[in-house]
Amino acid sequence: MLRVGLTGGIGSGKSTVSKQLAELGAVVVDADVIAREVVEPGMPALTAIRERFGPAVVSDEGVLDRAGLGRIVFGDPAALKDLEAITHPAIWARTADLIAAAPDDAIVVHDMPLLVEAGMTGEYHLVIVVGASEETRLRRLVDLRGMPETDARARIAAQATDSQRQAAADVWLDNEGSPDALRESVVRLWEERLAPFEANLRHGIRTRLAVPTLSTPDPTWPAQADRLIARIRHAVGRTDLAVEHIGSTAVAGLIAKDVIDLQIGVGSMEEADDAGFVTALGRAGFPRVAGKDRDNAKDGSVWIKRFHGSSDPGRIAHVHVRVDGSPGWRWALAFRDRLRADEEFRADYARMKTEVAARSATSDAYAIAKEPWFDSVDLMVD
């Protein structure tokens, strides 16, 4: 299944997007709904809350007094921590059950208001952020919800900033316009990215750039790479896994194909071929690609590697798995670092790429045509 994280600041229109995705066929798991469900009358979490905070926080009908509990915990960090220790395990258990119950071909949307604040972006195949300016959100909260302006400003200030959300967003849905414009954006996203991504993920298909089109430098390429790296580390369960952004998109100001190249450093090829490792990357949206098992060695030897692609039609990526410290691993890093440091070298490489792209009909032909230039480069990595 495709796991999508959906978030946005208060008043951004996230709930509207969530409903539209549900109408299109998504399985929506709403964090706010679950948080209310786990403290309903008769639930174990409500019993634990009553025991910890006293009978006054529960009405005679057995209903939680949310406002009263809020007055207790939000001015007392220790009390808030106790509350979270009660509710969070119940919330995550219920969330896990709902996701596990979804069909294998489902697009599961986790509607999570504090996704960015919780640092959870690496847990999804894709993160969608619904965005609107602070002024727009303030107006909606005051005019449409009747919230006092001081309260609205305080709620906005307590959440992540727009820059933090933008850094986490694979998709930024702008909601400054009309409801119809927002719906058109959601439908287009579903048809062009979410549905194809799910099908590719289920069948282990990678997306490719068929024609070697060079793009102007995109300052967001490093942030995009960071998000992919977080997903890879989460997928294999290793926060210390050596993963580097390499290639042209890792070099500021350099023209490049719109492809993010990453390099994973492993202890051995046996580790790279471990079934658990390969399966984890595939489930995270990085299927193994057969037949791409070596680099064009620069020293006459054989530089073994493994290669994974990306199933996301909106973000083509190449993941090169090499033994940490091997010649191929060191060459990739040395080449990137030379491009970053040497302006003349960088300009020469850009000229060569432009000339080769102009006469190459496919990306494979483009890659082959660049090899003589690479062979002429001495990076002294032996």
Side-chain angles (χ1 to χ4, degrees):
M1 68 180 67
L2 183 71
R3 299 184 308 278
V4 178
L6 173 65
T7 192
I10 185 170
S12 64
K14 176 184 61 64
S15 297
T16 299
V17 172
S18 180
K19 292 176 183 177
Q20 291 174 350
L21 288 170
E23 291 170 2
L24 290 166
V27 175
V28 174
V29 177
D30 190 319
D32 284 342
V33 170
I34 293 173
R36 291 192 292 270
E37 288 178 348
V38 300
V39 293
E40 287 179 348
M43 299 298 289
L46 181 60
T47 301
I49 289 172
R50 181 183 180 123
E51 292 174 352
R52 166 61 181 83
F53 297 100
V57 299
V58 179
S59 72
D60 294 340
E61 293 75 26
V63 176
L64 178 66
D65 178 3
R66 294 177 179 277
L69 180 61
R71 287 190 293 270
I72 294 173
V73 303
F74 290 114
D76 184 340
L80 179 59
K81 187 175 181 179
D82 288 346
L83 176 62
E84 291 174 343
I86 295 170
T87 59
H88 284 190
I91 290 169
W92 291 119
R94 178 58 175 159
T95 300
D97 288 345
L98 290 173
I99 293 175
D104 290 342
D105 62 351
I107 297 174
V108 176
V109 175
H110 188 196
D111 184 337
M112 178 72 174
L114 300 181
L115 185 154
V116 175
E117 291 86 342
M120 294 173 55
T121 56
E123 300 182 19
Y124 307 97
H125 294 104
L126 203 69
V127 171
I128 301 171
V129 177
V130 185
S133 69
E134 182 174 329
E135 293 75 17
T136 297
R137 288 185 283 135
L138 181 65
R139 186 177 67 252
R140 289 170 180 164
L141 294 174
V142 174
D143 295 347
L144 302 181
R145 299 192 191 180
M147 187 179 295
E149 183 172 335
T150 54
D151 291 353
R153 290 188 182 278
R155 293 285 297 276
I156 290 172
Q159 294 185 336
T161 64
D162 281 348
S163 61
Q164 289 172 323
R165 292 194 186 95
Q166 286 166 350
D170 298 292
V171 177
W172 183 272
L173 282 178
D174 184 273
N175 190 23
E176 290 285 350
S178 68
D180 286 343
L182 180 62
R183 178 167 183 80
E184 289 175 6
S185 296
V186 174
V187 171
R188 186 164 56 250
L189 171 64
W190 180 272
E191 294 176 348
E192 297 179 2
R193 192 164 186 179
L194 299 185
F197 194 171
E198 185 284 317
N200 289 346
L201 181 69
R202 186 159 30 95
H203 296 292
I205 298 171
R206 70 154 172 146
T207 55
R208 303 185 62 184
L209 187 66
V211 179
T213 303
L214 297 178
S215 301
T216 56
D218 184 343
T220 72
W221 278 332
Q224 294 183 52
D226 287 344
R227 293 195 294 272
L228 298 180
I229 290 170
R231 287 180 186 125
I232 288 171
R233 287 175 172 157
H234 178 78
V236 301
R238 284 185 53 190
T239 58
D240 64 336
L241 185 69
V243 191
E244 296 267 3
H245 184 196
I246 59 172
S248 296
T249 58
V251 181
L254 181 61
I255 60 171
K257 293 183 299 178
D258 188 15
V259 177
I260 302 294
D261 280 276
L262 303 176
Q263 174 170 265
I264 298 177
V266 293
S268 66
M269 276 297 108
E270 287 74 19
E271 182 181 336
D273 291 335
D274 178 79
F277 180 84
V278 175
T279 299
L281 286 181
R283 287 176 176 169
F286 304 98
R288 169 71 64 87
V289 179
K292 291 184 175 289
D293 60 357
R294 63 196 60 207
D295 291 309
N296 182 24
K298 308 300 183 286
D299 59 4
S301 65
V302 178
W303 291 0
I304 299 297
K305 74 169 182 180
R306 298 295 182 260
F307 182 77
H308 295 248
S310 167
S311 295
D312 181 1
R315 170 34 59 216
I316 300 172
H318 297 163
V319 181
H320 311 264
V321 185
R322 300 180 173 106
V323 172
D324 197 337
S326 66
W329 181 90
R330 287 183 284 125
W331 197 94
L333 295 178
F335 182 66
R336 178 201 64 188
D337 294 345
R338 173 90 180 268
L339 286 170
R340 288 174 172 177
D342 189 332
E343 183 177 354
E344 183 177 351
F345 183 71
R346 187 166 61 248
D348 187 36
Y349 183 48
R351 283 192 296 269
M352 181 275 293
K353 292 205 298 181
T354 301
E355 293 169 0
V356 171
R359 64 174 187 266
S360 300
T362 66
S363 288
D364 286 343
Y366 170 78
I368 293 170
K370 291 193 299 179
E371 285 302 330
W373 189 90
F374 287 133
D375 291 340
S376 70
V377 175
D378 183 9
L379 296 176
M380 301 178 64
V381 298
D382 295 336

